[in-house]
Structures are given as C-alpha cells and as structure tokens.
Amino acid sequence: MNRENIFKSSLKDSLQGYINEKQAVGYSFAKGISMLRQFDNYLCSLPQNTTELTKEIVLEWTKRKSFEATSTQLGRISLMRGLAEYMSRMGKKAYICPTVNRYSYTPYIFSKKEIASIFYACDNFPASKESPNRQIILSLVIRMIYGCGLRISEAVNLTISDVNLNEGTIFIKDTKFGKERLIPMADTLKKRCREYSILVLTGKSDTSYFFPSPFGGHYKSNTIYGLFRKVLWAAGISHTGKGPRLHDMRHTYAVHCLKKWALANRDMTNCMPYLSAYLGHEDFRGSQRYLRLTADLYPDITSKVEKNCSWLIPEVNWHETY
C-alpha cells in the first residue's frame, strides 16, 4: 500500500503519523486505516478546515447510526481515542473521548469437569458420510483452542507447515491484530497432532490446510461453531443465544492458566506479559481483564491474585472480541 498522500484533509499529517506509529510497533492496522480514510472524507466534507480534533467533530463522527451495531460505533470511538492521544503526544490540540464500556459480555468459564465432558463428546461425535474425518478434526481443533488459547479463525487457517510436529510449536500468522507468534504445545497435544497427521494429512503438501474441508479449503469457523453447539448438548451443557460460545474456550484457557499461577504463588507482574504474548493480544490491557475474572470466579484465591498485582486489576466488563 502506498503510505503517502492517502489523506486530503487538514489533519492528514496527524492521521498518517498515527498510522506510522501503529505500524512501527508491529500492527498491520488495516481496519484502522480504512476507518481513518472514512474519517478523512468526513473532515473534507465539513465547511471549514481545522487543525484541531475538536469535541464537536469527534462527537458527530462517532454518533451511532440507526442501522449499525453498537460495537461498530464503539470501534470508531476507540479509534478516535487513539488518534487524540497520539495528537496530544505530538503537542497538538485534540479532544480525548471518555473511556467507553466496550466489554458488556461476560464470558462463560468452563470448569475442569465441563472441559472433560466436552472432550469426551468430541471423541464420540457421530461420523459423517459427507465428511469422513469430521469427528477427528473436531476433537483436535477444540483441544487446540483450549490447550493453546487460540481464536477459532487462527486454528482453521493453520497450514501443515505451521504446525511443527517435531518441536511441538504452532506458528500463528495473519492474526486479528497483525501480530505473528510462535507458541508451544503441551506434550499431550503434540502427541495428538502427530496421530492426527497420520490419519488425516498423509500425502498432503505443507501448504495444505491443517484442518482440511472435504469440499476444498479449510473448515469454516461457523461450521466448527455449529458443531460445538451440538457438542455442548451432548456434554450436558445448556446453550442459548448468549452462550457459552466457542470463543469461551479461549477465555477459559486464560483463566485456568492464571488460577494455576496464583495457586503456585507466581508473581503475576512477571507472568502477565507472557500470557499477553501467548494469546496475541493487541496490548497488555486485553490480558489484564482475565485477572479480575479469575479473582471473581475463585474468591478463595483472590488474595493470591491481588498480592502482587492489585494495581493491574481494572474495574471493567467484557467484550467478545478478546
């Protein structure tokens, strides 16, 4: 992409500078760039040019439209906060929006017993004539999401070369926040991957998908989610339109990890950066929220969680995108 002259408004230098800063620290920022282009067009439509990011401009552009979801509006507000903070650091006048509550969803954290029931249901999922390897793929992809804290999109987009069966690592690329990462697997998961490779992937090239669809390409996220709902019923876990969701397996991984560290008296201030990097969060705040959830779910270890990191635990709710 040509990074020069993509903006035309009076704030073009600030918009480009903000993009450069985000990309310099490793973010692709593709969605942010698209939204900033929309904002640039909006600025060009105004009757008067301004070198300031005024309150009036911010409030008008972030106003929710009748046809859009709340999350879309909150995305614009978040982008404007980031831009305003950047401009302020550069010594320019900019209105910084108050922090908004983007985290209204409370994730469902599965118990260890429920996780075992889910795995059992996956292992005994009925076979399909149209998709002979369906139950084998489902059993591994669910374990991989929980065992490695993956997003479903990260799991289904894996190629054979991304999963190193010798070293027991998974290379995650083209992620939500543009952050590539190399994560280790537990020995039990590595063993399952090797067995799976023999059953499903023999004869396929390294560029083939690790979870291949019988109809070409890879299994779709929505397909796995639909199968997961059936797994929940088979496991005796009721499901509604509000959850539990497949993404809650990722949340469960993080909370179980923090609980284990807390019970082992690990220093959370040292551990949190590792969790953040492992999960591929955009910044440290995404992982901080798991501290509060861990403390709320397990009151008996609250003192251990808060002992060395009470300042890290924010008073926030949740949003499903983490």
Side-chain angles (χ1 to χ4, degrees):
M1 182 190 71
N2 182 9
R3 296 172 60 182
E4 302 297 331
N5 302 319
I6 65 173
F7 301 115
K8 300 178 181 179
S9 70
S10 55
L11 294 182
K12 60 182 180 181
D13 291 338
S14 293
L15 299 180
Q16 188 62 62
Y18 180 44
I19 292 172
N20 294 344
E21 181 181 81
K22 297 293 285 187
Q23 293 183 331
V25 294
Y27 301 127
S28 65
F29 206 52
K31 187 173 181 179
I33 292 173
S34 176
M35 292 174 66
L36 287 175
R37 281 180 165 174
Q38 296 173 31
F39 180 59
D40 185 66
N41 290 334
Y42 167 73
L43 292 174
C44 290
S45 71
L46 298 178
Q48 292 182 337
N49 289 334
T50 177
T51 58
E52 298 179 14
L53 185 61
T54 67
K55 180 177 180 179
E56 292 73 20
I57 289 175
V58 171
L59 293 182
E60 182 61 29
W61 194 68
T62 57
K63 185 185 302 181
R64 184 185 176 192
K65 300 176 177 62
S66 60
F67 56 83
E68 69 181 1
T70 301
S71 59
T72 304
Q73 178 201 23
L74 295 179
R76 289 201 304 277
I77 294 175
S78 179
L79 182 72
M80 286 296 99
R81 276 186 58 83
L83 174 62
E85 289 170 352
Y86 165 78
M87 291 179 65
S88 295
R89 292 195 300 273
M90 297 298 105
K92 299 178 180 179
K93 292 183 178 181
Y95 170 72
I96 300 177
C97 300
T99 303
V100 294
N101 181 10
R102 296 189 63 190
Y103 310 102
S104 58
Y105 177 82
T106 300
Y108 184 94
I109 303 302
F110 297 99
S111 67
K112 290 287 187 178
K113 183 178 180 180
E114 287 175 324
I115 291 293
S117 296
I118 288 171
F119 290 163
Y120 180 83
C122 286
D123 294 341
N124 292 276
F125 203 77
S128 167
K129 292 183 179 180
E130 295 77 15
S131 181
N133 294 319
R134 184 181 69 177
Q135 70 275 22
I136 304 174
I137 289 174
L138 180 64
S139 183
L140 182 60
V141 74
I142 297 299
R143 281 180 166 87
M144 192 173 282
I145 291 171
Y146 171 71
C148 298
L150 299 185
R151 302 176 179 94
I152 178 58
S153 60
E154 294 172 343
V156 296
N157 280 294
L158 290 171
T159 63
I160 293 176
S161 61
D162 292 331
V163 184
N164 190 317
L165 299 178
N166 294 320
E167 297 182 4
T169 59
I170 302 175
F171 178 52
I172 307 296
K173 58 184 184 295
D174 299 326
T175 66
K176 175 182 174 182
F177 296 117
K179 283 195 166 187
E180 297 181 342
R181 64 192 194 277
L182 186 69
I183 58 178
M185 293 185 283
D187 289 340
T188 53
L189 184 57
K190 179 174 68 173
K191 182 174 181 292
R192 281 187 172 274
C193 286
R194 287 176 174 173
E195 295 170 349
Y196 167 88
S197 179
I198 295 172
L199 290 172
V200 178
L201 303 179
T202 298
K204 295 184 179 293
S205 67
D206 287 348
T207 57
S208 299
Y209 286 109
F210 194 74
F211 297 112
S213 166
F215 310 108
H218 59 73
Y219 262 78
K220 304 302 180 185
S221 299
N222 288 341
T223 300
I224 299 296
Y225 181 71
L227 296 175
F228 182 69
R229 293 183 65 175
K230 296 180 180 179
V231 165
L232 290 180
W233 287 116
I237 302 171
S238 61
H239 182 282
T240 69
K242 296 183 179 180
R245 309 159 310 153
L246 180 58
H247 199 64
D248 289 330
M249 295 290 282
R250 170 175 158 89
H251 294 318
T252 299
Y253 161 81
V255 170
H256 285 181
C257 185
L258 285 172
K259 180 185 178 184
K260 181 179 178 180
W261 286 342
L263 292 176
N265 290 314
R266 298 283 295 274
D267 186 342
M268 294 297 185
T269 57
N270 292 330
C271 292
M272 288 302 295
Y274 290 99
L275 181 63
S276 182
Y278 195 91
L279 293 172
H281 279 157
E282 183 181 19
D283 52 42
F284 195 42
R285 293 171 298 174
S287 304
Q288 283 179 316
R289 297 181 176 93
Y290 289 118
L291 285 169
R292 169 56 62 196
L293 188 58
T294 303
D296 289 345
L297 286 173
Y298 305 104
D300 54 317
I301 65 169
T302 296
S303 60
K304 292 179 179 291
V305 173
E306 294 184 340
K307 181 179 180 181
N308 295 315
C309 56
S310 59
W311 62 275
L312 284 173
I313 303 179
E315 293 290 345
V316 295
N317 294 316
W318 277 80
H319 187 266
E320 63 183 346
T321 57
Y322 280 90

